[in-house]
Amino acid sequence: MSAHENVVEVRDLRKTYGDVAAVDGISFEIHRGETFALLGPNGAGKSTTIEILEGYRERTSGEVRVLGTDPWRASLDWKARLGIVLQSSGETGAVTVREQLSHFAALYPNPRDVDEVIAAVGLEHKANSLIRKLSGGQRRRVDVAVGIIGRPELLFLDEPTTGFDPEARRSFWQLVRTLQSEGTTIVLTTHYLDEAAQLGDRAGVIAGGRMVDIAPIDSLGGADARIPIVRWVEGGEAREERTATPGAFVASLIARLGPEPENLEVFRPSLEDVYLDLVGHEHAADLGQEVAS
Amino acid sequence: MTRALRLGALRVGYEVRAYFRQGDTVFFTFLFPVVLLTIFSVSFSEANFGQTADGDEITAAWFFLPAMLAAGVLLSGLQNLAIDIAVEKSNGTLKRLAGSPLPVTSYFIGKIGQALATGILQAFVLLILAFTVFRVPLPEDPALWGQFAWIFLLGVTTSAILGIALSSVPRSGASATAVVIPIVLVLQFISGIFLRFSDLPEWLQQVAAIFPVKWMAQGMRSVFLPDELVVLEPNETWNLPGIALALGIWFVVGLVLTVLTFRWVRKNQ
């Protein structure tokens, strides 16, 4: 197991439905022990990609290796090395949290301790409650618990914190950090960029079925995308200028327009600004709705 | 394979526990034949179902007990599993299992085990009710109980595997009952469950003989009705080898259909 052993290798992956390409030739690798965030608006091909990696969907073409195996032809032993937290919780039969976790623990060769996992997701007080009687956020935590009960080498988290309150999200992040420190490789999709920034080592941004960028989170979009922007209004017209030396630029503006240029602002693009630039503005509109809803 | 069996046994426990926590399935599948036996016994209490060789009157409860036992086999197996699995396919349960190292065989063992466990309990409740409340004389000959055991076990297993096969027909969990219930109802009407089989026109009897329910009902009658009533059966015989053959063939048909059609996740979902 070298430091840069690839747990996931994807080359020129394509998935088409009729004439429509949901995934249109993407390539990336995920190294052992890293947390890789897959970002992108709804319908960009994120979930399709994830489900191909998890073995749920067949690809149209391209090479895919997950833990050294083609997921579409994988064995039960391969599945035992994965943990999957699906995007939607779905429903569960009439079983309690502890019954569900004990049952799933029994399916894996080297499971974690059931009570420790229940405590890790903060459901100690609900351990004997029927899962269907829990709130949406609590059910999501059961999903996460089921995902990690088998001590996976590779964990898929597909929008894991949707429906969490801020406190639950913080404690979920703490749990993920524990998993990271134990060496778990994690593939995370999320609509929350702060979550990607908190947890991810690297991120890939998918838009329109293509990987538009792939980089460590703090250098997504390239260094140029983070050059500060100066905005002001001159002669009734909005102006802006990207500059690596905003102080000097503002000084030159003042020299030219007087001591208080109209609506002057200087800002450094945030991760969200960089991301929205990457996925393009039509997708940005989708995302806005998504976050608002 | 031993792992598949061990996990299968675990699934049976998990499934049975969840089953009895679902109030609606317990009522409509588990207690339904019990309710029907009560209704038939009361509403047909004046009707004439013939006499035994000793001159004892055959009551409605006596006459309908084997039919309700057969109905229970059909409901616990086919109706219960076809709907249950179609719903599990829609609500994400199967997708979750598909992502775990659970062998598909263990899942089937769990479902068939659930059908057997609930079916046996259901038969027990029916027999106790018939014996204690409706005074139906039960067989004293151990050989007849042996005959009951194999017909019952073969019946439930066949019914269960057909239920698993049928579960891939409904396009969604919501449509599952709409697809399954009419099939189950029609089969019961033409197979001598609700109506006396000997009253049906011969062509309909022959149609019913294609399907397994008629054979389950006939098998139950062979155990619980007095031997004199064999004259009401087709060709005046209980035809035990025919029962074994018909149910055996349907078991194989169900198994083949299941292997060919069962998917954890609907394609292109």
Side-chain angles (χ1 to χ4, degrees), chain A residues 16-34:
Chain A
T16 54
Y17 295 99
D19 292 340
V20 184
V23 177
D24 195 8
I26 67 174
S27 303
F28 61 98
E29 280 121 39
I30 300 174
H31 314 308
R32 183 169 290 279
E34 82 170 333

Side-chain angles (χ1 to χ4, degrees), chain A residues 51 56 79 89 100 103, chain B residues 11 14 21 91 95-96 98:
Chain A
E51 294 207 336
Y56 284 117
K79 286 187 187 175
S89 301
Q100 181 79 337
H103 182 68
Chain B
R11 289 295 300 172
Y14 178 90
R21 287 188 188 142
N91 73 16
K95 191 170 186 183
R96 191 192 301 276

Side-chain angles (χ1 to χ4, degrees), chain A residues 136-151:
Chain A
Q138 288 169 335
R139 257 184 289 181
R140 201 69 189 127
R141 287 190 258 165
V142 177
D143 291 341
V144 172
V146 170
I148 64 174
I149 191 76
R151 208 183 292 275

Side-chain angles (χ1 to χ4, degrees), chain A residues 28-30 34-40 46 50 157 180 186-206 211 213-217 220 271 275:
Chain A
F28 61 98
E29 280 121 39
I30 300 174
E34 82 170 333
T35 295
F36 186 84
L38 203 50
L39 308 175
K46 246 180 343 181
I50 290 276
L157 298 171
Q180 288 170 332
I186 297 171
V187 183
L188 169 75
T189 75
T190 180
H191 281 304
Y192 303 107
L193 293 167
D194 59 331
E195 186 161 283
Q198 285 284 334
L199 302 176
D201 298 309
R202 287 191 308 141
V205 179
I206 297 185
M211 192 71 92
D213 195 19
I214 181 163
I217 302 252
L220 270 184
L271 176 59
Y275 168 81

